[in-house]
Amino acid sequence: MPNSPQPVSRPGGTQTPYWSVLRLTQYLALVKEVRERDAKWLTSKDIADALELTSATVRKDLTHVDILGKTHWGYDTEELEHALTTALGADQQWRVVVLGAGNLGRALTQHEEFRRQGYNVVAVFDSDSGKVGSKIGKTPVMGLDVLDDVIKKEQVQIGIIAVPPNAAQEAADILTRCGIRGLLNLTTAHIVTPPGISVVHSRIMSSLQQLSHDLRLMRPST
Amino acid sequence: MPNSPQPVSRPGGTQTPYWSVLRLTQYLALVKEVRERDAKWLTSKDIADALELTSATVRKDLTHVDILGKTHWGYDTEELEHALTTALGADQQWRVVVLGAGNLGRALTQHEEFRRQGYNVVAVFDSDSGKVGSKIGKTPVMGLDVLDDVIKKEQVQIGIIAVPPNAAQEAADILTRCGIRGLLNLTTAHIVTPPGISVVHSRIMSSLQQLSHDLRLMRPST
DNA sequence: TAGATTGTTAATCGATTAACAATC
DNA sequence: TAGATTGTTAATCGATTAACAATC
C-alpha cells in the first residue's frame, strides 16, 4: 500500500521484491519503536503479530537483509535495526530537492521526521517568480533556471514532485535530465521515466479515494 | 505502489481487489486529464500505454465498474469518468477530520485538491492546548475533548492520522470509538483496527526509504 | 533435555496476462 | 467488409504460506 505504496519501476538488478521492501520499512519502524522500550529480542512471530503478517513472510523478507536469527531468541533488535537501516540505505545522508512550493511541498520541506532520518531538503523549486527568493523555514525557494546547478553542486540524489498534476511529467523530465535517478511522485498523475530511474508513487488523493470506495460498500449503519 | 499504495484491511464484502482499486484511481486521474484535451474515446490499450500496464489488466479492472466499452471505439470518456467517480465514491461530499496539527496535518488541511475532489476537512485536532483555538486557513484547531461531538454533529466519515508515530495507534483507537470507519494513516507506525474499519496507509517516509533502497543498489555512476 | 525458532523448500493462492469468440 | 476492440476464459506468473529438518 503503498499509498503506496505503490507500483514502482525499479532498475533491472534488483532482487528484493517490491512488497518485501515495503515491509522492510515497516520492520524498521517497529524495531525502532520496541528498542525504545528496551526490547532486546524480536522473533519473526512477534513482528508478524504486530504487523498482521505471517512469521513465514517475515523470515522470507529478512533473507534479503544481512541478519541472522538465533534459535529460541529470534533477532537481536540492535543488529536488526542496523541491518534494516543499511538495507534501506537509511544509514547515510541523502540530499533531496522538492519541486513545487505549494502546501504539500512546503510541509514536506519542514517535516522534521525527514531530516531526522537523513533525508535533507536542500532547496525547493517553483516556477512562480513571486515565491523565488523566499524561504521555507531555513530552506530557500529557487527558480527552475538554477535547478541543474544546485543538483550538480550539492550532489542531490532524490527529487520530490509536488507540483500540480498536469506539470508532473515535465517535472520528472527536468529532474532526470539533471541526472536525478530517484523520484518520489506525490501527484495523482502517472509519470514515465527512462530505464535506470527509480520512481515511487505516494498519492494521498488516491488513498482517500480508496477509502471512500471502501466506505461506499459498507452498509449505512452496520 | 501505493505509497503507497499499500496494504489495506477492507471489510468482508469487498470484491474488487486492492490493486484494482488503486488502478481505478489512476484511470480516473487519466480520464480527467484527457477530457481536458477533449478526447471523447479511450481504448483499454490507450489507458494501458499511458500507465504502463497491459490492456487485459485494464479491461479486467473495468469489469468492477459500471461501464461498457464499444467495439472499435473503446470507452466513452464522459461515461468512464462518471462510472469511475461513482465506483470510487468520489461523486459525493465527504467530511474529514485531521488528527495532528503538525506540518503534515496543516498542509493536508489546506490542500486545495482535497476540497476540489469532495474531501472536506471540517476540523483539525491536536493535544497541544497552545494550538487549540487557532485556525489553519479557515479550518479550526480543536481539542480532543470535543472530537466525539464534532464527529457526531458533522457526521464525519474519514479520519486522517498525522500525529507522531508513537501516538498513531491511540489516535486510531479514539477515532474508531467515535464511530469513524475509514482511516488514512500517514505515520510510519502500523495501526490495528477492529473488523469493519477500512484503513489505508500512505507513508511518505516509507516511500523515501524505498527510493534510497533502490538507489543504493545502483552503480555509483551508471 | 524438550521445545521453540530459524532458514528454506514445496504447495497454495491470487493476480496478471495471453488468447479468442463475439461484435460492430 | 476487414479489422479492431471488447469481455471473458484459461494459462502463466509470482508472492504468500505451510511444513519441516536443523539448531540450540
Side-chain angles (χ1 to χ4, degrees):
Chain A
M1 302 181 60
N3 130 124
S4 189
Q6 277 53 358
V8 67
S9 11
R10 219 127 25 76
T14 306
Q15 268 93 336
T16 318
Y18 173 80
W19 280 116
S20 289
V21 177
L22 182 59
R23 283 190 301 262
L24 293 182
T25 68
Q26 298 186 255
Y27 304 162
L28 178 55
L30 178 67
V31 72
K32 280 182 176 173
E33 191 221 309
V34 302
R35 283 196 69 207
E36 277 176 24
R37 295 192 259 111
D38 286 328
K40 299 286 182 230
W41 297 94
L42 217 41
T43 67
S44 56
K45 178 134 199 317
D46 292 336
I47 298 173
D49 289 348
L51 303 179
E52 298 177 291
L53 305 167
T54 67
S55 65
T57 298
V58 174
R59 289 197 300 279
K60 175 147 278 196
D61 286 339
L62 291 179
T63 62
H64 299 288
V65 168
D66 183 27
I67 183 89
L68 275 182
K70 217 171 132 176
T71 296
H72 277 92
W73 293 87
Y75 303 88
D76 179 301
T77 52
E78 189 180 342
E79 283 179 32
L80 184 58
E81 177 173 353
H82 180 261
L84 287 168
T85 302
T86 305
L88 293 171
D91 57 339
Q92 69 171 80
Q93 296 294 311
W94 296 90
R95 283 171 299 282
V96 178
V97 289
V98 172
L99 261 60
N103 283 312
L104 207 53
R106 287 204 304 276
L108 297 180
T109 302
Q110 302 201 66
H111 200 37
E112 248 321 297
E113 186 80 355
F114 287 176
R115 193 165 297 267
R116 247 202 313 277
Q117 307 265 350
Y119 302 87
N120 304 286
V121 179
V122 301
V124 182
F125 294 85
D126 203 289
S127 56
D128 177 354
S129 57
K131 289 176 176 170
V132 174
S134 67
K135 293 215 162 191
I136 295 169
K138 292 177 181 169
T139 311
V141 179
M142 302 181 174
L144 290 168
D145 51 315
V146 295
L147 179 61
D148 193 58
D149 284 346
V150 171
I151 286 175
K152 298 273 159 60
K153 210 166 287 174
E154 305 261 6
Q155 296 180 280
V156 174
Q157 301 116 328
I158 292 174
I160 299 182
I161 300 176
V163 299
N166 59 11
Q169 181 64 55
E170 199 196 336
D173 293 342
I174 295 171
L175 286 164
T176 53
R177 268 203 301 277
C178 295
I180 292 277
R181 295 192 300 164
L183 299 178
L184 176 58
N185 175 31
L186 299 179
T187 78
T188 51
H190 183 76
I191 60 179
V192 179
T193 55
I197 308 290
S198 183
V199 182
V200 174
H201 301 268
S202 182
R203 304 187 186 100
I204 299 181
M205 177 58 62
S206 175
S207 301
L208 275 176
Q209 290 171 343
Q210 290 178 66
L211 266 186
S212 56
H213 164 90
D214 293 354
L215 289 168
R216 178 62 69 82
L217 297 178
M218 296 180 187
R219 315 288 312 299
S221 70
T222 311
Chain B
M1 22 160 171
N3 263 279
S4 286
Q6 278 56 359
V8 65
S9 9
R10 219 124 27 76
T14 307
Q15 269 92 336
T16 317
Y18 173 79
W19 280 115
S20 288
V21 176
L22 181 58
R23 282 189 301 261
L24 293 182
T25 68
Q26 298 186 254
Y27 304 162
L28 179 55
L30 179 66
V31 73
K32 281 182 176 174
E33 192 221 309
V34 302
R35 283 196 70 207
E36 278 176 23
R37 297 192 257 111
D38 285 327
K40 299 286 182 231
W41 297 95
L42 216 42
T43 67
S44 57
K45 178 133 199 315
D46 292 336
I47 298 173
D49 289 348
L51 303 178
E52 298 178 292
L53 304 167
T54 67
S55 64
T57 298
V58 173
R59 289 197 299 280
K60 176 148 276 196
D61 286 340
L62 290 180
T63 62
H64 299 288
V65 168
D66 183 27
I67 183 88
L68 274 183
K70 217 172 135 177
T71 294
H72 278 91
W73 294 87
Y75 303 88
D76 179 300
T77 52
E78 188 179 341
E79 282 180 32
L80 185 57
E81 176 172 353
H82 181 260
L84 286 167
T85 302
T86 305
L88 293 171
D91 57 340
Q92 70 171 80
Q93 296 294 311
W94 295 90
R95 283 169 299 283
V96 178
V97 289
V98 171
L99 260 62
N103 284 312
L104 208 52
R106 287 204 305 276
L108 297 179
T109 301
Q110 303 202 64
H111 199 38
E112 250 320 297
E113 185 79 356
F114 287 175
R115 192 165 299 265
R116 247 201 314 276
Q117 307 265 349
Y119 301 88
N120 303 285
V121 179
V122 301
V124 181
F125 294 84
D126 203 289
S127 55
D128 176 354
S129 56
K131 289 177 177 170
V132 174
S134 66
K135 293 216 162 189
I136 296 169
K138 292 176 180 168
T139 312
V141 179
M142 302 181 173
L144 289 168
D145 51 315
V146 295
L147 178 61
D148 194 58
D149 285 347
V150 171
I151 285 174
K152 298 273 159 61
K153 209 165 290 175
E154 306 261 6
Q155 297 180 278
V156 173
Q157 301 117 326
I158 293 173
I160 298 182
I161 301 177
V163 301
N166 60 9
Q169 181 63 55
E170 200 196 336
D173 293 343
I174 294 172
L175 286 164
T176 52
R177 269 204 302 275
C178 295
I180 292 277
R181 295 192 301 163
L183 299 178
L184 176 58
N185 175 30
L186 299 178
T187 77
T188 52
H190 183 78
I191 61 179
V192 179
T193 55
I197 309 288
S198 183
V199 182
V200 175
H201 301 268
S202 182
R203 305 188 187 97
I204 300 183
M205 178 57 63
S206 176
S207 301
L208 275 176
Q209 290 171 343
Q210 289 177 67
L211 265 186
S212 57
H213 164 90
D214 293 354
L215 289 169
R216 178 61 70 82
L217 296 179
M218 296 181 188
R219 316 288 313 300
S221 70
T222 310

